Amino acid sequence: MQHLSVLILIFSPLIMSAILFTPFFKNNEVRIRRFSKGFASLHFLYSLLFLVFFNPLNQGISYYEEIKFFGTSWIQPLGFKMAFGLDGISLLMVILTSFIFLLALIASKSNIRQKHKFYYSMIFLLQTAVLGVFCARDMFLFFMFWELELVPMYFLIGQWGGGNCKASAMKFVLYTFLGSLSMLLGMLLLYFYNFSTYGTMTADFSAISVSSPEFPIFLQVFISILLLIGFAVKMPIVPLHTWLPDAHTDAPTPVSMILAAILLKMGAFGVIRFNMQLLPEGFQYLVPLLLIFALINIIYTAFVAYAQMDLKKIVAYSSISNMGIVLLGLCTLNLIGFSGAVFQMVAHGIISAGLFMLVGIIYIRTKTREIADLGGLGDVMPRLMGFGIILSLASVGLPLLIGFVGEFLVFLGAFNSPVDELSAPIKIYSVIAISVLVLSAAYILRLLHKTFFANIFEKWSKINDITNHEFVVLFALILAVAFFGVFPMSILDIIQPILANILEIFKI
Amino acid sequence: MEFLNNITKIMLPEILLIVFIFIQIILSMFSDTKFYKLSKWLTVLGIFLAISLCSKVSIDPIYYGFKNSIISDNYTIFFKFLILLSSFLIVFLTKKVIMSRRDNAFRFNALLLTVILGSLILVSANDFLTMFIAMETLGFGMFFLIAFEKGHCSKEATLKYLVISAVASAVFLFGVSYMYGITGSVNFSSIYDYFLNNNPTLLYSMAAIFITCGLAFKLGVIPFANWILDVYEGANTSVVTFLSIVPKVAMFGILARLLVFPLSYSFELTFILVVISVATAIWANCLAIRQKNIKRLLACSSSANASYVLFAAALVSVFNLSTVLFYLVAYIFMNIGVFAAVIILESSEFSNKLYEFKNFAYTNPVFTLCFATCIFGLAGFPITAGFISKIYLFSAISRSGLIFLPFLMIMMLTIVVSVYYYLRVVKFMFEKSDNVTSEVIPHKVSSAIVILYCCAAITVILGICPSKIIEICQLMAYNI
C-alpha cells in the first residue's frame, strides 16, 4: 500500500506533543485529555492499517521511507541515514505500542492530577521515541531514539511519581545511559569493522548484516558483549536489573504500564536486531552463557517476587522473570522457541500492563500497596476482582489465555533446541526453568489471595468499584488476552517468516 | 614592501581589530559615562567588519607571511571565523558588566578586542615565538578582564590565574628552548622537515611534552586545571563565557596544528595526552557532582569537554581533526546558551546557587525549555548538537585503534557521571517549592534572551541535520 506513511506514524505523536502547547488548549484539563485520547485512538487505527496491508512473506522491508535534509541524508559524511521501515517484528511492536499508549492515556485520567499539558506532551514524545526505535533502519538512528526515550521518561517518573521518585528517575537514566554508552561503543566498532572490510560507510541494518568469514570471532564476541550490556540494562537481565523495581514502584500507573509493556521489549527487540541479525556467530558463541543468565533471571527473580510485600514490586519482579523467559526463547535458536519468545514479548506486554493497572486502581482507592494492609477487596470490588483473576491466570499461564502460548512455545523450543549439541545442557536448563510456572503461580496467587480474599478489613468497606475509564482499559486488555490465547496463529503468522529468515543465518 | 603585501593579504582582520582597539583606548581618555553604550556598538562593528574581511584573506594556495612565521590557509580561516562569531555573540552578553562600570566601558571593550586579536594571531601562528607572543597577548587581556569585577573573589581569581599562567608559560618556554636546541629552529615547518631526516630522540619527546603541558593551562586540563573553578566563580559571568570559549577554541586550533606538524613524531606524547585527557575527565566530572554553584559546575563541565576534545585531538588523523572541529562548533553554541541563561538569571537578581532555580519550569516555561535544551546538549542527549558531536567524536576515537579502547571506556564511564550533574540542574528547575518565592524573570526582550533562544535553536538544528556542517569540518580538516 503506497499511501501509508511510516513517517506519519512515527512523528505524528511528536507534532501532537507540540500542538498541546498552542493557545487552543489553554490550561483546560478536559480538553487536553480528550484530544490526547482522540489522537491516540486515531493513531492506533492508523497503525492497524499497516497490519492490513502488510505481507508477512515479503522478504525485505515494508513501508521503507527515508528523510532527507536539503538533499543530503541525515549525516551524509558518515553514511548515516534517517531511514524507517517495518518488518514483522517491528510491526507487531508498533501495534502493541500504539495500543498500550492509548490505554495508558485513558488510565491517566484518574492518576494524573497536575501539570496535564506537560504530562501529555511528554507521553507523546515518549511514543515517538519508542516507535522510532522499533522502525529505525539505521544503527545510529536506532541509538538516537533509544537515547531520546530517556528524556520523557526522566520527567514522567520524576514529576508525577510518588515516593522517592526523583532518585528513581535519576537511577533509571544513569543505568540506561551507562548501558547505551557501552552499546554505542559496540555499534561504532561494528560500523568501522564493516567499513574497513567492505569500504562503504554505512550503518544500515540490511547493508551491515552480511557476516563475513574474515570477521574475527573474538571481535564479534566482544562487540556482542558490549551491545548486550546495553540491552541487558533495558530488558533487564539480572545483575543490571536493580533500577527496575525502583522505577516501577515510584512511577505513576500509566507510566508503569508503558515501562513494563513497551520499554522492556525494546531490550529484547535490540537483542534480535543487533545480536541475532547482525552478529549471529557472536551470539551463538555466547548462547551457553546467556542461557545461564536467563535461568538466573527466571528463577531468582521469581523467588524475589515471592518475598515482596509491595504489590507493585511483585509485578515488577514478575516482569523481570518473564523477560528471562523471553531471553531463554531467544537462546533456543529454533523457530518454535524463537517465535515463542516474540509471542511472550507481546503477551507479557498485555498482561503486565493489566497487572499494573490493577495495582494502580487499588492504590488510588486505598493509598497503600502493602500486602499486609490489604484484604477482602473482592467484597467491595467484584468487577475488579473478575478482571484481576483473569489477568493473574493469564500471567500464570493458563491454557487458552495469552500467557500460556508464549511460555509453552519457549519451553517446547528449549526441549527440542539444537543448542543441546553445542555443549549447553539446555534440556536440563529448561526442566529447571519450567519450575517457574509453579513459582509464578505461587506469587501471583498470593497477590490475588491477599488482596481480594483473606482478611476483610472494616476500613476498606467504603471504597468503590472500578469506574468506566478503568473498565474500558481492563476490558480491552482482557479482550486481547482471550483473543490471542485462542487464536495465537494470528500473531505467529506475522512473525514466523521473518524469524525463520533470521534463523537461517545461524549455522547450526 | 613585502611587509605591506603580507598585511594586506593575510592580516586584514587583525589590523582592523588593532585600529578598533586604538579607537577604544583614545575614546576612553575623553569619554564621560554618558557614552558607555557607544563602546559596545564599536566592538560589535569591529568584529562584524573583521568577519566580513575574513573572506578577503588569501588562503589558496597556502600563504606563508612574515618570514614563515604566520600561516594562512582554510584551516586558520575556519578558526578565525569561529572565534569572531563566538565573540560576536558574547559581546551581546556584556551589558551588565558595562552598566556596572560605565566609566571603564571603553577599556573593557579594548581588552576584549585584545584577547580576540591574540586568539586570531594564535591560530595562524607558524612558529613558537609568534605563538608565545599571541598566547601572552591573550593571557594578559584575560588577566585584566577577570580582575574587572569588583569584590574579593575576583581578586583571588585574578591572582590565581596570573600565577598559574606564569608557571605554565615558563614550562612552555622551557620545552621550546629544548626544541630549539635539538633542531636549531622555532619554525613549525622547519622542525617538521628536520625530523624527516633525523630520528626523534627522547629529548624531543620531553620537549614536546613540556610544550603541550604549557598549553594545558589555557585548555583547563590537568596538570594546570585547578585554577578553573575559582576563576569561573570569581570573574564576571560574561567574562567567564568569553574565557570558556574564545581562548579555548584558539588553543585547540593551534594544538591540532602542533600535533600535526612539529610534535607529530612522538608516540610518548600521544600516550601522555590520552592519559592527561582521561585523568581530566575523571577529575572534572567527579568534582562537579558536589558543586552547588552553577558557575563552578560549568567550570568543571568546560574542563571535562576540553578533555574529550583533547582525547580525539591527541590521536592525530584527518578524520579525528574533523570531529574536533565539529565538537568545537557544537560546544560553542551550547555553552554560550547556558551562560546566557546564567547571565539572565544574574540580571534578575538570582544568585548562582542551584537551589534557587526551583519553580522555574512553572514561572518561566520558555526560558526553562531553552536552558534545558542547552543543558541536555552538554549532557549529550539526542536531537541536540551535543549528541551528534559526541557520537562523532567517539567514532573518531574508537577508529584510532583498539589500544585506546580501555581509555575510551573509562571516559565513557565519566560521561555517565556527567549526566548526573547536568540532570541535577534540570531537576532543580522542575522542582516545586513553596519556600522560594517564585519570581518571574522580567519578560522584556534583552539581547541575552535573544542569544539564549538562538543558541537553543541552533543546538537543536545542528542535532537534527548536521550534515552540511560536518562536511565543512571535514573539508577544513583535509586542508591542514
Side-chain angles (χ1 to χ4, degrees), chain A residues 56-246:
Chain A
L57 296 175
N58 180 6
Q59 289 287 319
I61 303 304
S62 312
Y63 310 110
Y64 184 87
E65 265 180 90
E66 188 186 341
I67 305 182
K68 298 212 171 202
F69 301 100
F70 316 114
T72 56
S73 57
W74 181 35
I75 307 184
Q76 179 111 7
L78 293 177
F80 299 172
K81 285 188 289 188
M82 209 175 244
F84 302 94
L86 293 173
D87 60 10
I89 312 171
S90 356
L91 178 68
L92 200 60
M93 288 298 134
V94 163
I95 292 170
L96 181 69
T97 307
S98 203
F99 178 57
I100 296 290
F101 268 84
L102 172 60
L103 297 186
L105 282 172
I106 297 172
S108 299
K109 186 194 177 188
S110 41
N111 287 286
I112 304 304
R113 303 238 172 265
Q114 42 157 348
K115 296 178 263 180
H116 295 90
K117 206 184 270 188
F118 187 32
Y119 172 81
Y120 287 100
S121 71
M122 279 297 136
I123 288 271
F124 284 127
L125 181 59
L126 181 64
Q127 192 173 6
T128 292
V130 173
L131 290 172
V133 167
F134 289 137
C135 298
R137 290 307 306 168
D138 182 292
M139 284 201 297
F140 292 92
L141 188 64
F142 177 96
F143 183 71
M144 187 183 102
F145 284 110
W146 182 280
E147 289 277 277
L148 182 60
E149 158 264 329
L150 291 181
V151 179
M153 272 315 274
Y154 175 72
F155 287 117
L156 285 173
I157 299 177
Q159 295 295 308
W160 292 275
N164 201 3
C165 60
K166 294 244 160 47
S168 301
M170 188 67 94
K171 195 172 175 184
F172 166 77
V173 171
L174 292 183
Y175 257 87
T176 314
F177 212 92
L178 179 71
S180 45
L181 281 178
S182 139
M183 201 166 101
L184 173 65
L185 199 59
M187 286 183 192
L188 287 171
L189 289 178
L190 187 58
Y191 169 75
F192 282 118
Y193 194 81
N194 185 68
F195 170 57
S196 60
T197 316
Y198 301 105
T200 46
M201 280 201 148
T202 177
D204 195 315
F205 280 126
S206 26
I208 259 185
S209 61
V210 195
S211 74
S212 77
E214 305 104 69
F215 205 113
I217 185 74
F218 87 90
L219 195 62
Q220 271 214 38
V221 173
F222 182 58
I223 296 174
S224 292
I225 291 174
L226 285 176
L227 291 169
L228 268 175
I229 291 174
F231 302 132
V233 169
K234 201 95 219 176
M235 228 169 130
I237 297 176
V238 152
L240 299 170
H241 70 290
T242 54
W243 61 269
L244 186 129
D246 288 345

Side-chain angles (χ1 to χ4, degrees), chain A residues 152-434:
Chain A
M153 272 315 274
Y154 175 72
F155 287 117
L156 285 173
I157 299 177
Q159 295 295 308
W160 292 275
N164 201 3
C165 60
K166 294 244 160 47
S168 301
M170 188 67 94
K171 195 172 175 184
F172 166 77
V173 171
L174 292 183
Y175 257 87
T176 314
F177 212 92
L178 179 71
S180 45
L181 281 178
S182 139
M183 201 166 101
L184 173 65
L185 199 59
M187 286 183 192
L188 287 171
L189 289 178
L190 187 58
Y191 169 75
F192 282 118
Y193 194 81
N194 185 68
F195 170 57
S196 60
T197 316
Y198 301 105
T200 46
M201 280 201 148
T202 177
D204 195 315
F205 280 126
S206 26
I208 259 185
S209 61
V210 195
S211 74
S212 77
E214 305 104 69
F215 205 113
I217 185 74
F218 87 90
L219 195 62
Q220 271 214 38
V221 173
F222 182 58
I223 296 174
S224 292
I225 291 174
L226 285 176
L227 291 169
L228 268 175
I229 291 174
F231 302 132
V233 169
K234 201 95 219 176
M235 228 169 130
I237 297 176
V238 152
L240 299 170
H241 70 290
T242 54
W243 61 269
L244 186 129
D246 288 345
H248 267 313
T249 326
D250 295 335
T253 305
V255 178
S256 280
M257 286 165 69
I258 293 171
L259 184 59
I262 313 289
L263 298 196
L264 304 191
K265 307 303 169 294
M266 279 163 54
F269 182 80
V271 173
I272 297 174
R273 254 288 177 279
F274 281 85
N275 290 74
M276 299 187 74
Q277 277 187 303
L278 301 186
L279 299 156
E281 285 162 38
F283 186 74
Q284 201 169 319
Y285 194 88
L286 287 173
V287 156
L289 187 69
L290 283 177
L291 276 172
I292 295 172
F293 274 112
L295 208 60
I296 297 173
N297 232 20
I298 295 171
I299 303 294
Y300 166 73
T301 47
F303 275 115
V304 176
Y306 189 73
Q308 295 306 312
M309 298 308 289
D310 184 311
L311 289 182
K312 242 182 172 178
K313 280 206 167 149
I314 297 178
V315 184
Y317 277 106
S318 89
S319 286
I320 309 177
S321 182
N322 272 294
M323 291 315 283
I325 296 179
V326 173
L327 185 62
L328 179 67
L330 295 180
C331 289
T332 56
L333 296 185
N334 64 3
L335 189 57
I336 304 173
F338 196 5
S339 45
V342 178
F343 194 93
Q344 177 72 4
M345 280 159 69
V346 179
H348 173 248
I350 291 168
I351 295 169
S352 65
L355 287 176
F356 275 115
M357 185 70 200
L358 193 79
V359 175
I361 290 170
I362 294 172
Y363 181 70
I364 289 176
R365 285 161 177 73
T366 62
K367 299 285 172 246
T368 178
R369 288 190 303 252
E370 289 296 314
I371 276 193
D373 293 344
L374 292 168
L377 293 182
D379 238 21
V380 282
M381 306 172 85
R383 287 205 290 173
L384 182 68
M385 183 173 72
F387 285 127
I389 289 173
I390 299 176
L391 281 170
S392 309
L393 292 179
S395 174
V396 170
L398 193 76
L400 286 187
L401 294 179
I402 196 169
F404 171 73
V405 186
E407 283 176 12
F408 177 73
L409 285 177
V410 167
F411 291 129
L412 186 66
F415 234 79
N416 299 323
S417 169
V419 177
D420 210 12
E421 292 147 26
L422 278 179
S423 78
I426 192 170
K427 282 202 175 110
I428 301 173
Y429 288 161
S430 55
V431 170
I432 302 172
I434 283 176

Side-chain angles (χ1 to χ4, degrees), chain B residues 242-256:
Chain B
F242 197 68
L243 175 67
S244 71
I245 289 168
V246 174
K248 213 168 247 184
V249 170
M251 235 19 165
F252 273 116
I254 191 68
L255 181 69

